[in-house]
Amino acid sequence: MDTEKTSPVDVEVSTENKDGAEAFTKVKSKKTQKRTREQSGVDMDAEESVAIKRPQFPPISGDKLRGPDEMRKIAVPAHRYTPLKENWLKIFTPIVENLQLQVRFNLKTRNVEIKTCKETQDIGALTKAADFVKAFVLGFQVEDAMALIRLDELFLESFDVTDVKPLKGDHLSRAIGRIAGKGGKTKFTIENVTKTRIVLAETKIHILGSFQNIKMARTAICNLILGSPPSKVYGNIRVVASRTAERF
């Protein structure tokens, strides 16, 4: 009797198992899914590489790479007309012969105009020539300003005495006198130790040199403006200069 009762239950379970097997589809493992995706991705990349080819462009000429002609204008103040006229040949020669640029002085606008041409090869030649003329206009000698054309690591920096300390009247005059020194001694000493060139034009100070040397000279001049005695400034400059010389 027991066997007769249990047999229908087993049949129902088996039918349920069969129905369940038919109802649910077989799920693939994650590894097999990842492999199929990678294979399909490789196939797609291969198809895209075959379909899309790299465009072939002809080499560009130097004239198109240079672009249109550019011009720079440098304004010349009235007190620099005579020095510009006297040294015009020294300014004209390196700009035209070495940098392959065109230059002229416009009498109406009182500007030195520098322009590129077909013979210009160096892209940075226009910037060098503009810095060269600007340095001369600010008061540097032609020989010193010429270094801006020959060397790449030289810069110009300008600031006002009143930017460091708002001085007026006699206090301002004394600060300028401390920078210059007796007969220009202090200025020459700073120039020789820091290997820079300095121009004092009323309250304006212009420094020509490399970045590190300009920083040393500017620090010394600022200390003089703030009231430090020249002897102390000389000592500080020499210490800093000797450290930089040891580094390099």
Side-chain angles (χ1 to χ4, degrees):
M1 293 295 290
D2 294 334
T3 56
E4 291 177 359
K5 290 179 181 178
T6 54
S7 60
V9 175
D10 294 332
V11 171
E12 289 176 2
V13 171
S14 63
T15 54
E16 285 178 4
N17 290 335
K18 287 179 181 179
D19 294 335
E22 291 174 359
F24 294 104
T25 58
K26 188 177 179 181
V27 180
K28 295 180 181 179
S29 65
K30 292 184 179 179
K31 291 183 179 179
T32 55
Q33 288 179 359
K34 190 174 181 181
R35 286 174 186 169
T36 53
R37 286 176 187 171
E38 288 177 354
Q39 291 175 357
S40 63
V42 171
D43 296 337
M44 290 292 290
D45 292 338
E47 291 176 1
E48 288 178 1
S49 63
V50 172
I52 301 171
K53 293 183 179 179
R54 286 186 177 181
Q56 297 293 330
F57 295 109
I60 191 169
S61 62
D63 297 336
K64 292 181 180 179
L65 184 65
R66 184 172 53 84
D69 292 337
E70 298 180 15
M71 180 183 284
R72 297 282 179 89
K73 296 180 181 179
I74 298 97
V76 181
H79 69 280
R80 296 299 292 175
Y81 291 159
T82 305
L84 183 69
K85 186 177 179 181
E86 292 174 353
N87 296 285
W88 178 249
L89 194 61
K90 294 180 182 179
I91 297 168
F92 174 86
T93 305
I95 292 175
V96 175
E97 293 183 357
N98 298 339
L99 299 177
Q100 305 295 326
L101 296 170
Q102 296 177 353
V103 61
R104 71 172 184 178
F105 180 65
N106 195 329
L107 294 172
K108 291 183 179 179
T109 59
R110 300 290 186 181
N111 290 333
V112 176
E113 298 177 354
I114 307 169
K115 186 180 178 183
T116 58
C117 58
K118 293 181 180 179
E119 288 76 17
T120 307
Q121 297 177 355
D122 188 7
I123 298 173
L126 188 64
T127 305
K128 288 182 178 180
D131 290 342
F132 167 56
V133 176
K134 186 181 177 183
F136 178 78
V137 168
L138 290 176
F140 292 97
Q141 297 292 327
V142 180
E143 291 76 14
D144 296 334
M146 193 90 69
L148 288 166
I149 295 177
R150 294 173 179 169
L151 302 174
D152 293 332
E153 298 178 355
L154 292 183
F155 305 95
L156 274 172
E157 183 167 336
S158 302
F159 64 95
D160 202 301
V161 174
T162 54
D163 295 338
V164 182
K165 191 176 182 181
L167 300 172
K168 293 180 181 179
D170 294 338
H171 298 289
L172 181 61
S173 302
R174 280 194 290 271
I176 296 170
R178 281 198 300 273
I179 298 168
K182 187 178 180 180
K185 180 183 174 183
T186 306
K187 183 175 81 75
F188 292 144
T189 305
I190 296 172
E191 285 180 344
N192 293 331
V193 174
T194 59
K195 297 178 183 177
T196 57
R197 288 292 175 266
I198 300 169
V199 168
L200 296 175
E202 295 182 355
T203 61
K204 289 281 185 182
I205 299 168
H206 311 290
I207 307 173
L208 170 65
S210 64
F211 180 79
Q212 191 71 26
N213 294 341
I214 287 174
K215 184 180 177 183
M216 291 164 55
R218 187 178 63 239
T219 304
I221 292 170
C222 290
N223 289 335
L224 289 169
I225 293 169
L226 293 172
S228 296
S231 58
K232 187 175 181 180
V233 174
Y234 293 159
N236 293 336
I237 293 174
R238 288 195 176 96
V239 169
V240 175
S242 62
R243 286 178 184 173
T244 52
E246 288 173 0
R247 283 182 192 173
F248 301 105

